Amino acid sequence: RNITLAFFVTHIMASRRLFGSPLLLSHHIRSSFSTPLALARHQQQVRHASMRIPIVLSSPVPGIGETGEELMVRKGFARNYLYPKQLAVPATDDSRKRFEDVRAQIDYAARDKIAAVRKASKQLSKLQHVLVTRHVRSDGSLHSVVNAKVISEKLFKQYRLTVEPSRISIPIEIKTPGTHTVNVDVDGNIVPLTVKCMRR
């Protein structure tokens, strides 16, 4: 959004040099979009960008960020909540420098991993089942067993969910068709998952 706003401002300045007249400027901007919908989306992006301001968190805010982190937030959220509670300050050269050492200690990779795990937990809890098809022998057993590695692969193939096999707990390997329940360890939370094995 910052890039969109910067492009829009640059576009306006360049158009003013070329066209001079505000009327011609407006016409030039409108004509640069192929459809009214494209123009409307662009205008909405510009409005949203103008409603946000850069801030630096002076304290950790759950669900928002860590101390020293620079973010773009809505003006009202900053003025009505963050600033009065002394949770953030406007992003200036001075404030950035003041929190530089603290910001350098933020482990973004670990935080992203935690966020990904929580997202996976939420998505897993909404799944009805994971489908696995296998050839069945004459004695009723599966031609090949269904283990954690198979379930992990099916989760990714069917739902684009990445779950390491080590996080999938199966009391015993699944050797027969039918509906089975396994447990998935997501950030310490155990999420039950239904595995449906059907004849191929």
Side-chain angles (χ1 to χ4, degrees), residues 4-184:
T4 301
L5 180 59
F7 169 80
F8 184 66
V9 172
T10 304
H11 185 72
I12 289 177
M13 297 302 294
S15 299
R16 280 181 176 173
R17 289 194 296 269
L18 289 172
F19 298 97
S21 167
L23 181 61
L24 290 175
L25 170 63
S26 176
H27 173 73
H28 175 70
I29 292 175
R30 290 176 182 277
S31 63
S32 64
F33 294 92
S34 57
T35 65
L37 179 60
L39 174 61
R41 285 176 177 172
H42 176 75
Q43 291 173 334
Q44 184 179 26
Q45 288 177 341
V46 172
R47 283 196 298 271
H48 285 177
S50 65
M51 292 171 62
R52 294 179 177 273
I53 58 175
I55 58 96
V56 175
L57 293 177
S58 53
S59 295
V61 181
I64 303 297
E66 302 294 332
T67 302
E69 192 168 357
E70 182 173 343
L71 304 168
M72 293 293 294
V73 300
R74 290 185 177 276
K75 291 180 181 178
F77 181 59
R79 294 172 180 172
N80 300 328
Y81 181 77
L82 296 176
Y83 291 165
K85 292 184 176 295
Q86 298 182 345
L87 297 174
V89 295
T92 63
D93 290 341
D94 289 340
S95 62
R96 292 185 182 100
K97 186 174 181 180
R98 180 160 32 118
F99 290 97
E100 184 176 2
D101 292 339
V102 179
R103 183 168 56 252
Q105 297 176 16
I106 299 175
D107 191 342
Y108 292 101
R111 190 177 66 179
D112 290 344
K113 184 176 181 180
I114 291 173
V117 168
R118 288 176 178 171
K119 181 180 179 181
S121 177
K122 185 176 180 180
Q123 291 175 320
L124 279 170
S125 63
K126 294 181 179 180
L127 299 185
Q128 292 184 344
H129 63 262
V130 173
L131 179 63
V132 180
T133 58
R134 285 286 188 272
H135 292 295
V136 179
R137 294 190 177 96
S138 58
D139 63 359
S141 64
L142 298 177
H143 187 269
S144 57
V145 299
V146 176
N147 53 28
K149 184 176 183 296
V150 172
I151 295 172
S152 173
E153 292 171 349
K154 295 298 181 181
L155 279 170
F156 182 77
K157 184 176 181 179
Q158 295 173 22
Y159 300 103
R160 289 296 183 268
L161 283 177
T162 301
V163 178
E164 298 173 4
S166 60
R167 291 183 175 273
I168 301 173
S169 175
I170 306 178
I172 57 174
E173 291 183 322
I174 300 172
K175 300 180 180 180
T176 57
T179 301
H180 307 266
T181 300
V182 301
N183 293 323
V184 182

